[in-house]
Amino acid sequence: MQEIRKVIIPVAGWGTRSLPATKNIPKEMLPIYNKPVIQYVVEEAQRAHIQDVIFVTNRDKNVIEDHFDYNLQLESVLERAGKLEKLEEVRKVAEMVNIMSVRQKKQLGLGHAVMCARELVRGEPFAVMVGDDLMFSGVPGIRQLIDVAMAEKMPVIGVMEVPWEKVSRYGIIQGEEVSPGVYRVHDMVEKPARENAPSRLAIVGRYVLTPDIFDHLDKVQPGHGGEIQLTDALKTLAQERGMMAVRMAGMRFDAGDWSEFLSANIYFALQDEDLRYELLAQLRKFVQFQ
Ligand code: G1P
C-alpha cells in the first residue's frame, strides 16, 4: 500500500451536544486551551506526514478553512506591533497542510460525508479523522494505524476499550487479537444496546481506508438513526477484503462531551509551564469547596 497523503475530516455536523456554545460557532472551532479543536486534529495529521486535508463542510463552516489560511491584515497588525512570536504562530497554522473542501449539502451521516469526498481522494488509500475526536500520544494516533495498514496492506480502524455503559455511543467491533493490540475484524455494529454489543472495543474516529470502501458505501441503506453509517460499509468491506483494528495508545477526548472537553482544556493548559502553577492552585481551591 502506498503512503497515505490525504485525510478526510468531516466537519459538517450541527454540534447540538455543545449548544448553546455552538449556535453560531462551529463546534470544531471551540478552543481547547489556546487552539481550536480542529487545529489539534490537523496537527495530528501533519505529524503523521499527511499533506492534504479534505474538509467535508457545510455553508456555516467557512471559518474552519479560513483558520488554516493566511490572514494578511492580522499579520500586518502583529508585524507593526512587533509581536513577532504571535506573528510566527498564526503564519505557521496557514502553512501546516494543503486544504481542500467539499460541501455536504445534506447531513445524511458519517458514511455520506465520506462519500462526498470521493472525487477528491482520486482512487488512493486515505485516512478519515473525525473532527471532534482528540487523540494525544507519542506516535500520532493516525500514524499508529497507517503503519499497520502499510504492513498488512489492509484497511485499519482505531479502537479503544470503553466501559460497558458507554458501548451504545460507538461503533463496536468483534475481532480476534492476532498480536498485542492488533485485531482481525470479523464484524461490527453501530451504537448497539449494551446487551447486543459484541465487545467493549469502540471505534474512535480514526480510520485508514482503501478506495473500495466507496463501492460498499454505494450499497449501504440508512442504518442507525436513519443515517448512512460508515460502520455499515466497513462491516461489508471487512468481510469481503479483510480489515484490521488497532487498539490505540494515548489519551482521547470527545470534544462534543462537556466533561471531556473541559478535561482536555485542563490537560493542555497544564502542559504550559507559564500557566501550570496558577491553574493548579485554582483547581485545588475548587476541589476543596466541593
Ligand atoms: C461516529 C461513528 C462511530 C464512532 C464514533 C467515534 O459516531 O459512527 O462508529 O464510534 O464516530 O467518535 P458519531 O460520534 O458521529 O455519532
Side-chain angles (χ1 to χ4, degrees):
M1 189 188 283
Q2 69 193 84
E3 183 56 62
I4 304 293
R5 301 186 305 170
K6 294 187 169 140
V7 59
I8 300 176
I9 307 185
V11 292
W14 278 105
T16 44
R17 285 191 295 165
S18 308
L19 282 167
T22 47
K23 187 177 168 198
N24 279 297
I25 300 170
K27 60 180 173 163
E28 297 81 7
M29 290 304 290
L30 295 179
I32 301 279
Y33 177 33
N34 60 356
K35 293 185 273 192
V37 168
I38 191 68
Q39 188 172 333
Y40 291 90
V41 179
V42 171
E43 281 174 358
E44 180 189 326
Q46 183 199 26
R47 286 177 57 221
H49 311 300
I50 293 176
Q51 303 147 1
D52 299 331
V53 169
I54 303 166
F55 288 126
V56 183
T57 69
N58 69 30
R59 57 186 307 119
D60 298 321
K61 303 270 182 159
N62 292 337
V63 65
I64 297 178
E65 288 159 70
D66 293 347
H67 184 71
F68 295 97
D69 199 350
Y70 293 105
N71 180 337
L72 297 179
Q73 209 174 350
L74 174 65
E75 286 178 27
S76 78
V77 168
L78 293 173
E79 199 156 19
R80 271 187 275 127
K83 296 186 172 164
L84 300 182
E85 244 175 66
K86 293 278 175 222
L87 175 65
E88 197 191 329
E89 232 175 299
V90 299
R91 265 194 194 145
K92 222 170 61 190
V93 184
E95 286 162 3
M96 280 169 44
V97 286
N98 303 320
I99 298 293
M100 289 174 254
S101 77
V102 61
R103 286 280 178 98
Q104 185 183 18
K105 295 181 190 169
K106 291 182 181 172
Q107 268 67 75
L108 300 180
L110 182 60
H112 177 257
V114 171
M115 280 280 260
C116 292
R118 184 181 205 155
E119 293 307 315
L120 293 176
V121 297
R122 300 237 176 105
E124 281 181 38
F126 59 95
V128 176
M129 296 166 75
V130 168
D132 51 7
D133 255 339
L134 301 179
M135 308 283 279
F136 302 104
S137 48
V139 178
I142 193 69
R143 187 75 233 172
Q144 297 171 29
L145 306 192
I146 294 173
D147 291 344
V148 175
M150 292 181 67
E152 301 287 340
K153 301 183 177 53
M154 257 192 229
V156 176
I157 58 180
V159 293
M160 278 186 169
E161 261 180 14
V162 297
W164 282 109
E165 56 276 16
K166 290 194 175 167
V167 290
S168 61
R169 296 189 193 176
Y170 296 95
I172 301 289
I173 69 153
Q174 189 210 334
E176 170 200 345
E177 195 163 12
V178 289
S179 59
V182 180
Y183 301 80
R184 182 172 297 279
V185 178
H186 295 309
D187 202 0
M188 65 182 78
V189 50
E190 180 69 8
K191 303 195 173 85
R194 179 183 172 148
E195 54 278 16
N196 299 330
S199 76
R200 293 196 290 131
L201 288 170
I203 304 172
V204 289
R206 297 290 183 273
Y207 311 81
V208 174
L209 302 178
T210 44
D212 44 353
I213 186 68
F214 293 115
D215 302 331
H216 292 264
L217 279 167
D218 272 339
K219 293 181 205 136
V220 160
Q221 297 297 314
H224 184 88
E227 297 186 340
I228 304 291
Q229 295 291 350
L230 181 58
T231 304
D232 294 340
L234 291 171
K235 175 188 161 114
T236 53
L237 182 69
Q239 287 161 354
E240 196 177 286
R241 77 130 47 211
M243 182 179 294
M244 309 301 281
V246 170
R247 198 169 62 225
M248 299 185 76
M251 304 275 288
R252 168 183 178 263
F253 300 101
D254 170 4
D257 174 285
W258 282 121
S259 101
E260 295 196 23
F261 175 85
L262 295 168
S263 308
N265 269 283
I266 295 168
Y267 177 84
F268 278 100
L270 286 175
Q271 321 280 319
D272 184 337
E273 287 299 319
D274 293 340
L275 219 76
R276 189 181 166 81
Y277 178 75
E278 213 179 311
L279 181 60
L280 276 175
Q282 293 279 11
L283 289 172
R284 281 197 197 101
K285 237 192 281 171
F286 296 158
V287 173
Q288 247 173 27
F289 291 112
Q290 289 311 303

PDB file of all heavy atoms in Angstrom, residues 17 110 130 132-133 169-172 190-191 202-205 207 227 229-231 252 254, ligand 1:
ATOM      1  N   ARG A  17     -24.837  18.775  20.666  1.00  0.00           N
ATOM      2  CA  ARG A  17     -24.452  18.431  22.043  1.00  0.00           C
ATOM      3  C   ARG A  17     -23.779  19.610  22.734  1.00  0.00           C
ATOM      4  O   ARG A  17     -23.728  19.671  23.952  1.00  0.00           O
ATOM      5  CB  ARG A  17     -23.469  17.238  22.040  1.00  0.00           C
ATOM      6  CG  ARG A  17     -24.129  15.909  21.769  1.00  0.00           C
ATOM      7  CD  ARG A  17     -23.164  14.769  22.037  1.00  0.00           C
ATOM      8  NE  ARG A  17     -22.022  14.762  21.129  1.00  0.00           N
ATOM      9  CZ  ARG A  17     -20.913  14.057  21.320  1.00  0.00           C
ATOM     10  NH1 ARG A  17     -20.773  13.318  22.400  1.00  0.00           N
ATOM     11  NH2 ARG A  17     -19.919  14.088  20.451  1.00  0.00           N
ATOM     12  N   LEU A 110     -22.207  10.009   8.708  1.00  0.00           N
ATOM     13  CA  LEU A 110     -20.748   9.982   8.522  1.00  0.00           C
ATOM     14  C   LEU A 110     -20.369   9.276   7.212  1.00  0.00           C
ATOM     15  O   LEU A 110     -19.462   9.707   6.496  1.00  0.00           O
ATOM     16  CB  LEU A 110     -20.101   9.278   9.735  1.00  0.00           C
ATOM     17  CG  LEU A 110     -18.587   9.181   9.758  1.00  0.00           C
ATOM     18  CD1 LEU A 110     -17.931  10.566   9.738  1.00  0.00           C
ATOM     19  CD2 LEU A 110     -18.110   8.417  10.998  1.00  0.00           C
ATOM     20  N   VAL A 130     -12.250  11.942  12.551  1.00  0.00           N
ATOM     21  CA  VAL A 130     -13.460  12.647  12.985  1.00  0.00           C
ATOM     22  C   VAL A 130     -13.032  13.964  13.653  1.00  0.00           C
ATOM     23  O   VAL A 130     -12.137  13.986  14.500  1.00  0.00           O
ATOM     24  CB  VAL A 130     -14.285  11.741  13.928  1.00  0.00           C
ATOM     25  CG1 VAL A 130     -15.386  12.520  14.622  1.00  0.00           C
ATOM     26  CG2 VAL A 130     -14.873  10.575  13.127  1.00  0.00           C
ATOM     27  N   ASP A 132     -14.031  16.041  15.840  1.00  0.00           N
ATOM     28  CA  ASP A 132     -14.106  16.442  17.247  1.00  0.00           C
ATOM     29  C   ASP A 132     -13.605  15.352  18.192  1.00  0.00           C
ATOM     30  O   ASP A 132     -13.867  15.382  19.389  1.00  0.00           O
ATOM     31  CB  ASP A 132     -15.515  16.926  17.639  1.00  0.00           C
ATOM     32  CG  ASP A 132     -16.599  15.951  17.236  1.00  0.00           C
ATOM     33  OD1 ASP A 132     -16.258  14.845  16.773  1.00  0.00           O
ATOM     34  OD2 ASP A 132     -17.784  16.297  17.392  1.00  0.00           O
ATOM     35  N   ASP A 133     -12.858  14.407  17.630  1.00  0.00           N
ATOM     36  CA  ASP A 133     -12.208  13.375  18.447  1.00  0.00           C
ATOM     37  C   ASP A 133     -10.747  13.753  18.591  1.00  0.00           C
ATOM     38  O   ASP A 133     -10.012  13.793  17.601  1.00  0.00           O
ATOM     39  CB  ASP A 133     -12.282  12.007  17.725  1.00  0.00           C
ATOM     40  CG  ASP A 133     -13.303  11.091  18.355  1.00  0.00           C
ATOM     41  OD1 ASP A 133     -13.651  11.300  19.521  1.00  0.00           O
ATOM     42  OD2 ASP A 133     -13.749  10.156  17.662  1.00  0.00           O
ATOM     43  N   ARG A 169     -22.749   4.354  22.555  1.00  0.00           N
ATOM     44  CA  ARG A 169     -22.390   5.637  21.924  1.00  0.00           C
ATOM     45  C   ARG A 169     -21.473   5.462  20.726  1.00  0.00           C
ATOM     46  O   ARG A 169     -21.114   6.439  20.063  1.00  0.00           O
ATOM     47  CB  ARG A 169     -21.612   6.512  22.918  1.00  0.00           C
ATOM     48  CG  ARG A 169     -22.364   6.921  24.125  1.00  0.00           C
ATOM     49  CD  ARG A 169     -21.510   7.949  24.849  1.00  0.00           C
ATOM     50  NE  ARG A 169     -21.991   8.199  26.179  1.00  0.00           N
ATOM     51  CZ  ARG A 169     -21.386   8.997  27.037  1.00  0.00           C
ATOM     52  NH1 ARG A 169     -20.273   9.619  26.687  1.00  0.00           N
ATOM     53  NH2 ARG A 169     -21.876   9.185  28.234  1.00  0.00           N
ATOM     54  N   TYR A 170     -21.030   4.209  20.478  1.00  0.00           N
ATOM     55  CA  TYR A 170     -19.960   3.998  19.491  1.00  0.00           C
ATOM     56  C   TYR A 170     -20.288   2.887  18.500  1.00  0.00           C
ATOM     57  O   TYR A 170     -21.193   2.085  18.732  1.00  0.00           O
ATOM     58  CB  TYR A 170     -18.671   3.571  20.219  1.00  0.00           C
ATOM     59  CG  TYR A 170     -18.106   4.618  21.135  1.00  0.00           C
ATOM     60  CD1 TYR A 170     -18.416   4.625  22.491  1.00  0.00           C
ATOM     61  CD2 TYR A 170     -17.265   5.608  20.640  1.00  0.00           C
ATOM     62  CE1 TYR A 170     -17.891   5.592  23.341  1.00  0.00           C
ATOM     63  CE2 TYR A 170     -16.733   6.573  21.478  1.00  0.00           C
ATOM     64  CZ  TYR A 170     -17.045   6.561  22.825  1.00  0.00           C
ATOM     65  OH  TYR A 170     -16.529   7.515  23.653  1.00  0.00           O
ATOM     66  N   GLY A 171     -19.464   2.826  17.433  1.00  0.00           N
ATOM     67  CA  GLY A 171     -19.406   1.617  16.633  1.00  0.00           C
ATOM     68  C   GLY A 171     -18.568   0.627  17.424  1.00  0.00           C
ATOM     69  O   GLY A 171     -17.527   0.992  17.959  1.00  0.00           O
ATOM     70  N   ILE A 172     -19.043  -0.632  17.518  1.00  0.00           N
ATOM     71  CA  ILE A 172     -18.336  -1.638  18.336  1.00  0.00           C
ATOM     72  C   ILE A 172     -17.916  -2.786  17.426  1.00  0.00           C
ATOM     73  O   ILE A 172     -18.709  -3.251  16.604  1.00  0.00           O
ATOM     74  CB  ILE A 172     -19.255  -2.163  19.467  1.00  0.00           C
ATOM     75  CG1 ILE A 172     -19.712  -1.015  20.367  1.00  0.00           C
ATOM     76  CG2 ILE A 172     -18.578  -3.283  20.268  1.00  0.00           C
ATOM     77  CD1 ILE A 172     -18.638  -0.406  21.260  1.00  0.00           C
ATOM     78  N   GLU A 190     -23.065  -0.522  14.694  1.00  0.00           N
ATOM     79  CA  GLU A 190     -23.109   0.886  15.087  1.00  0.00           C
ATOM     80  C   GLU A 190     -24.022   1.074  16.297  1.00  0.00           C
ATOM     81  O   GLU A 190     -25.183   0.680  16.274  1.00  0.00           O
ATOM     82  CB  GLU A 190     -23.601   1.737  13.898  1.00  0.00           C
ATOM     83  CG  GLU A 190     -23.689   3.228  14.165  1.00  0.00           C
ATOM     84  CD  GLU A 190     -22.332   3.923  14.348  1.00  0.00           C
ATOM     85  OE1 GLU A 190     -21.292   3.283  14.122  1.00  0.00           O
ATOM     86  OE2 GLU A 190     -22.328   5.098  14.735  1.00  0.00           O
ATOM     87  N   LYS A 191     -23.494   1.633  17.339  1.00  0.00           N
ATOM     88  CA  LYS A 191     -24.219   2.012  18.552  1.00  0.00           C
ATOM     89  C   LYS A 191     -25.201   0.944  19.049  1.00  0.00           C
ATOM     90  O   LYS A 191     -26.413   1.165  19.107  1.00  0.00           O
ATOM     91  CB  LYS A 191     -24.943   3.347  18.320  1.00  0.00           C
ATOM     92  CG  LYS A 191     -23.965   4.452  17.907  1.00  0.00           C
ATOM     93  CD  LYS A 191     -24.522   5.833  18.017  1.00  0.00           C
ATOM     94  CE  LYS A 191     -23.462   6.889  17.752  1.00  0.00           C
ATOM     95  NZ  LYS A 191     -23.216   7.247  16.380  1.00  0.00           N
ATOM     96  N   ALA A 202     -14.407   0.003  21.044  1.00  0.00           N
ATOM     97  CA  ALA A 202     -15.165   1.042  20.343  1.00  0.00           C
ATOM     98  C   ALA A 202     -14.314   1.716  19.273  1.00  0.00           C
ATOM     99  O   ALA A 202     -13.125   1.973  19.480  1.00  0.00           O
ATOM    100  CB  ALA A 202     -15.618   2.087  21.355  1.00  0.00           C
ATOM    101  N   ILE A 203     -14.949   2.013  18.148  1.00  0.00           N
ATOM    102  CA  ILE A 203     -14.279   2.747  17.066  1.00  0.00           C
ATOM    103  C   ILE A 203     -14.155   4.207  17.513  1.00  0.00           C
ATOM    104  O   ILE A 203     -15.124   4.800  17.980  1.00  0.00           O
ATOM    105  CB  ILE A 203     -15.109   2.659  15.761  1.00  0.00           C
ATOM    106  CG1 ILE A 203     -15.356   1.190  15.381  1.00  0.00           C
ATOM    107  CG2 ILE A 203     -14.423   3.409  14.629  1.00  0.00           C
ATOM    108  CD1 ILE A 203     -16.322   0.997  14.215  1.00  0.00           C
ATOM    109  N   VAL A 204     -12.930   4.768  17.378  1.00  0.00           N
ATOM    110  CA  VAL A 204     -12.714   6.092  17.958  1.00  0.00           C
ATOM    111  C   VAL A 204     -12.413   7.223  16.954  1.00  0.00           C
ATOM    112  O   VAL A 204     -11.677   8.154  17.254  1.00  0.00           O
ATOM    113  CB  VAL A 204     -11.604   6.055  19.029  1.00  0.00           C
ATOM    114  CG1 VAL A 204     -12.083   5.339  20.266  1.00  0.00           C
ATOM    115  CG2 VAL A 204     -10.323   5.432  18.492  1.00  0.00           C
ATOM    116  N   GLY A 205     -12.986   7.120  15.770  1.00  0.00           N
ATOM    117  CA  GLY A 205     -12.871   8.275  14.871  1.00  0.00           C
ATOM    118  C   GLY A 205     -11.541   8.404  14.144  1.00  0.00           C
ATOM    119  O   GLY A 205     -11.159   9.500  13.733  1.00  0.00           O
ATOM    120  N   TYR A 207      -9.470   6.246  10.967  1.00  0.00           N
ATOM    121  CA  TYR A 207      -9.607   5.155  10.002  1.00  0.00           C
ATOM    122  C   TYR A 207      -8.553   5.315   8.904  1.00  0.00           C
ATOM    123  O   TYR A 207      -8.249   6.452   8.523  1.00  0.00           O
ATOM    124  CB  TYR A 207     -10.963   5.219   9.287  1.00  0.00           C
ATOM    125  CG  TYR A 207     -12.186   5.386  10.170  1.00  0.00           C
ATOM    126  CD1 TYR A 207     -12.556   6.633  10.661  1.00  0.00           C
ATOM    127  CD2 TYR A 207     -13.006   4.297  10.474  1.00  0.00           C
ATOM    128  CE1 TYR A 207     -13.702   6.789  11.445  1.00  0.00           C
ATOM    129  CE2 TYR A 207     -14.158   4.446  11.247  1.00  0.00           C
ATOM    130  CZ  TYR A 207     -14.494   5.699  11.733  1.00  0.00           C
ATOM    131  OH  TYR A 207     -15.636   5.863  12.496  1.00  0.00           O
ATOM    132  N   GLU A 227     -29.384   7.231   9.311  1.00  0.00           N
ATOM    133  CA  GLU A 227     -28.258   7.832   8.590  1.00  0.00           C
ATOM    134  C   GLU A 227     -27.456   6.794   7.798  1.00  0.00           C
ATOM    135  O   GLU A 227     -27.500   5.602   8.112  1.00  0.00           O
ATOM    136  CB  GLU A 227     -27.313   8.511   9.594  1.00  0.00           C
ATOM    137  CG  GLU A 227     -27.976   9.660  10.332  1.00  0.00           C
ATOM    138  CD  GLU A 227     -27.008  10.425  11.211  1.00  0.00           C
ATOM    139  OE1 GLU A 227     -25.942   9.873  11.553  1.00  0.00           O
ATOM    140  OE2 GLU A 227     -27.320  11.579  11.543  1.00  0.00           O
ATOM    141  N   GLN A 229     -24.426   5.100   7.528  1.00  0.00           N
ATOM    142  CA  GLN A 229     -23.376   4.889   8.525  1.00  0.00           C
ATOM    143  C   GLN A 229     -22.114   4.336   7.878  1.00  0.00           C
ATOM    144  O   GLN A 229     -22.163   3.355   7.135  1.00  0.00           O
ATOM    145  CB  GLN A 229     -23.872   3.901   9.600  1.00  0.00           C
ATOM    146  CG  GLN A 229     -25.032   4.420  10.430  1.00  0.00           C
ATOM    147  CD  GLN A 229     -24.631   5.576  11.351  1.00  0.00           C
ATOM    148  OE1 GLN A 229     -23.455   5.891  11.517  1.00  0.00           O
ATOM    149  NE2 GLN A 229     -25.632   6.224  11.942  1.00  0.00           N
ATOM    150  N   LEU A 230     -20.987   4.957   8.199  1.00  0.00           N
ATOM    151  CA  LEU A 230     -19.696   4.430   7.734  1.00  0.00           C
ATOM    152  C   LEU A 230     -19.496   3.016   8.267  1.00  0.00           C
ATOM    153  O   LEU A 230     -19.003   2.124   7.568  1.00  0.00           O
ATOM    154  CB  LEU A 230     -18.564   5.367   8.213  1.00  0.00           C
ATOM    155  CG  LEU A 230     -17.142   4.998   7.809  1.00  0.00           C
ATOM    156  CD1 LEU A 230     -16.998   4.907   6.288  1.00  0.00           C
ATOM    157  CD2 LEU A 230     -16.131   6.004   8.370  1.00  0.00           C
ATOM    158  N   THR A 231     -19.916   2.796   9.510  1.00  0.00           N
ATOM    159  CA  THR A 231     -19.741   1.474  10.134  1.00  0.00           C
ATOM    160  C   THR A 231     -20.374   0.365   9.291  1.00  0.00           C
ATOM    161  O   THR A 231     -19.801  -0.723   9.169  1.00  0.00           O
ATOM    162  CB  THR A 231     -20.366   1.481  11.552  1.00  0.00           C
ATOM    163  OG1 THR A 231     -19.759   2.537  12.287  1.00  0.00           O
ATOM    164  CG2 THR A 231     -20.161   0.170  12.282  1.00  0.00           C
ATOM    165  N   ARG A 252      -7.572  10.097  24.760  1.00  0.00           N
ATOM    166  CA  ARG A 252      -8.581  10.520  23.801  1.00  0.00           C
ATOM    167  C   ARG A 252      -9.610  11.380  24.516  1.00  0.00           C
ATOM    168  O   ARG A 252      -9.989  11.083  25.653  1.00  0.00           O
ATOM    169  CB  ARG A 252      -9.267   9.307  23.189  1.00  0.00           C
ATOM    170  CG  ARG A 252     -10.507   9.674  22.409  1.00  0.00           C
ATOM    171  CD  ARG A 252     -11.236   8.477  21.861  1.00  0.00           C
ATOM    172  NE  ARG A 252     -12.425   8.922  21.163  1.00  0.00           N
ATOM    173  CZ  ARG A 252     -13.638   8.937  21.709  1.00  0.00           C
ATOM    174  NH1 ARG A 252     -13.832   8.533  22.946  1.00  0.00           N
ATOM    175  NH2 ARG A 252     -14.671   9.375  21.021  1.00  0.00           N
ATOM    176  N   ASP A 254     -13.397  13.273  23.666  1.00  0.00           N
ATOM    177  CA  ASP A 254     -14.503  13.573  22.756  1.00  0.00           C
ATOM    178  C   ASP A 254     -14.906  15.022  23.041  1.00  0.00           C
ATOM    179  O   ASP A 254     -15.531  15.311  24.065  1.00  0.00           O
ATOM    180  CB  ASP A 254     -15.652  12.599  23.051  1.00  0.00           C
ATOM    181  CG  ASP A 254     -16.934  12.978  22.324  1.00  0.00           C
ATOM    182  OD1 ASP A 254     -16.926  13.938  21.528  1.00  0.00           O
ATOM    183  OD2 ASP A 254     -17.960  12.299  22.555  1.00  0.00           O
TER     184      ASP A 254
HETATM  185  C1  G1P B   1     -19.105   8.140  14.721  1.00  0.00           C
HETATM  186  C2  G1P B   1     -19.140   6.708  14.199  1.00  0.00           C
HETATM  187  C3  G1P B   1     -18.972   5.707  15.343  1.00  0.00           C
HETATM  188  C4  G1P B   1     -17.713   6.021  16.131  1.00  0.00           C
HETATM  189  C5  G1P B   1     -17.713   7.492  16.598  1.00  0.00           C
HETATM  190  C6  G1P B   1     -16.379   7.865  17.231  1.00  0.00           C
HETATM  191  O1  G1P B   1     -20.260   8.341  15.510  1.00  0.00           O
HETATM  192  O2  G1P B   1     -20.359   6.482  13.509  1.00  0.00           O
HETATM  193  O3  G1P B   1     -18.906   4.410  14.830  1.00  0.00           O
HETATM  194  O4  G1P B   1     -17.616   5.155  17.235  1.00  0.00           O
HETATM  195  O5  G1P B   1     -17.929   8.392  15.477  1.00  0.00           O
HETATM  196  O6  G1P B   1     -16.395   9.172  17.722  1.00  0.00           O
HETATM  197  P1  G1P B   1     -20.779   9.824  15.935  1.00  0.00           P
HETATM  198  O7  G1P B   1     -19.992  10.192  17.154  1.00  0.00           O
HETATM  199  O8  G1P B   1     -20.506  10.719  14.762  1.00  0.00           O
HETATM  200  O9  G1P B   1     -22.240   9.653  16.236  1.00  0.00           O
END
